[in-house]
Amino acid sequence: MFTPVRSRIRTAALALSAITALALGASATTGAAAAPAPAKQGPTSVAYVEVNNNSMLNVGKYTLANGGSNVFDVAVIFAANINYNTGTKAATLYFNENVQRVLDNAATQIRPLQQKGIKVVLSVLGNHQGAGFANFTSQQAASTFAKQLSDTVAKYGLDGIDFDDEYADYGNNGTGQPNASSFVYLVSALRANMPDKIISLYNIGPAASRLSYGGVDVSSKFDYAWNPYYGTWQVPGIALPKSKLSPAAVEIGGTSQSTAANLARRTVSEGYGVYLTYNLDGADRSADVSAFTRELYGSDAHYTP
């Protein structure tokens, strides 16, 4: 059985209050737009970045040798957390000091990517406290957390939210187990709050199998869904067109170049529209990246330090 290979290093003791920050700040703007890189033909490439260890700017350092297009189309900040406030008995959005630093320095850590035409999305992950996307006890509770998410997107000028239902440890702190309605309420509220932003699903955990409730199926409210098991091929079990799915998942530097190439080749041959990568670091990974760009786009990748 495969397991996700993310390290998910946290510095919980260095917490900053995301919600206080939201209350104090006005919505960010993306600033002056630079000319984006030329568009490319082929699947959407996604790069998760562990910001505890690496810079988001690494995503913008890769272009196609043929034409100069960005290799990556979506950069994912990994990761904020869904925490549990034992006093109020409510889920709260939490940023460790590294995520907070990226957000506070959006002008230098996020805008340069957006000005290249790369979308920047915030991933949200469980934090062993019992709060998760699948155990909100009411529609109002789910909607309250959805507002925290959409307020964050607005405040920091982000392009969307990614859901990753791991490490919630449902039941901790007296919280409930996953229920059928919770994630449906959450996704519905978030989509209503931000109709034109990205909502993506790391296809794992109780939430990923609870997409329908009370006659409402939220599958179509997602822009993307991807396989969470690196080095493998697995079609996400969600009713989205192939253009929005990534059955391929690779860890850059952790998945062999031959496997990355084979998964990219299969992505193209079977008509899927997304290719997921994880753990882009600050080293020159052009050989690893070229292994899949040759299959996806017919070009090597060029790295600019």
Side-chain angles (χ1 to χ4, degrees):
M1 180 172 134
F2 293 102
T3 56
V5 298
R6 301 182 171 194
S7 60
R8 305 175 188 285
I9 303 167
R10 291 190 191 80
T11 53
L14 299 170
L16 292 176
S17 172
I19 306 311
T20 301
L22 292 177
L24 295 175
S27 295
T29 60
T30 57
K40 65 177 187 276
Q41 297 297 314
T44 296
S45 290
V46 180
Y48 277 82
V49 178
E50 290 257 17
V51 297
N52 287 335
N53 307 308
N54 299 297
S55 170
M56 290 302 296
L57 296 179
N58 294 330
V59 181
K61 294 179 178 180
Y62 293 87
T63 54
L64 296 180
N66 298 336
S69 300
N70 296 317
V71 166
F72 298 107
D73 305 288
V74 179
V76 184
I77 302 168
F78 188 80
N81 296 106
I82 177 172
N83 278 10
Y84 187 69
N85 185 317
T86 56
T88 62
K89 299 188 182 304
T92 61
L93 184 61
Y94 164 80
F95 309 139
N96 74 17
E97 68 164 0
N98 299 302
V99 173
Q100 187 70 64
R101 185 182 301 115
V102 171
L103 297 176
D104 287 342
N105 292 282
T108 57
Q109 297 298 307
I110 295 172
R111 301 296 170 259
L113 298 178
Q114 292 173 325
Q115 289 165 3
K116 290 174 182 284
I118 299 169
K119 302 292 187 182
V120 180
V121 170
L122 178 66
S123 186
V124 185
L125 175 75
N127 204 13
H128 307 285
Q129 297 185 8
F133 312 128
N135 68 344
F136 289 106
T137 57
S138 68
Q139 186 170 9
Q140 180 58 49
S143 296
T144 297
F145 189 71
K147 188 172 189 305
Q148 293 180 39
L149 296 174
S150 58
D151 283 352
T152 295
V153 169
K155 174 178 175 59
Y156 296 107
L158 301 172
D159 295 298
I161 293 291
D162 175 64
F163 287 112
D164 182 349
D165 191 16
E166 298 179 274
Y167 309 110
D169 291 356
Y170 290 101
N172 277 2
N173 291 313
T175 58
Q177 292 300 310
N179 62 60
S181 62
S182 176
F183 197 43
V184 172
Y185 288 149
L186 177 61
V187 175
S188 296
L190 184 61
R191 177 52 76 202
N193 291 351
M194 43 180 233
D196 301 319
K197 298 290 185 177
I198 291 171
I199 303 177
S200 58
L201 178 66
Y202 189 79
N203 190 53
I204 199 168
S209 61
R210 291 166 168 81
L211 301 177
S212 180
Y213 176 77
V216 176
D217 189 317
V218 294
S219 298
S220 63
K221 298 183 186 298
F222 290 96
D223 294 277
Y224 305 112
W226 27 73
N227 171 17
Y229 300 106
Y230 306 116
T232 75
W233 178 274
Q234 179 176 288
V235 180
I238 180 172
L240 285 173
K242 285 184 171 184
S243 62
K244 296 185 175 185
L245 297 176
S246 181
V250 301
E251 181 185 10
I252 295 175
T255 302
S256 71
Q257 292 177 20
S258 60
T259 297
N262 288 337
L263 292 172
R265 191 177 305 116
R266 188 170 180 183
T267 297
V268 173
S269 67
E270 297 191 21
Y272 287 93
V274 189
Y275 189 85
L276 176 68
T277 75
Y278 165 70
N279 208 23
L280 184 67
D281 61 19
D284 179 354
R285 297 292 182 180
S286 55
D288 295 303
V289 175
S290 292
F292 61 81
T293 60
R294 281 192 291 266
E295 302 297 333
L296 296 177
Y297 312 117
S299 174
D300 283 337
H302 175 72
Y303 172 76
T304 301

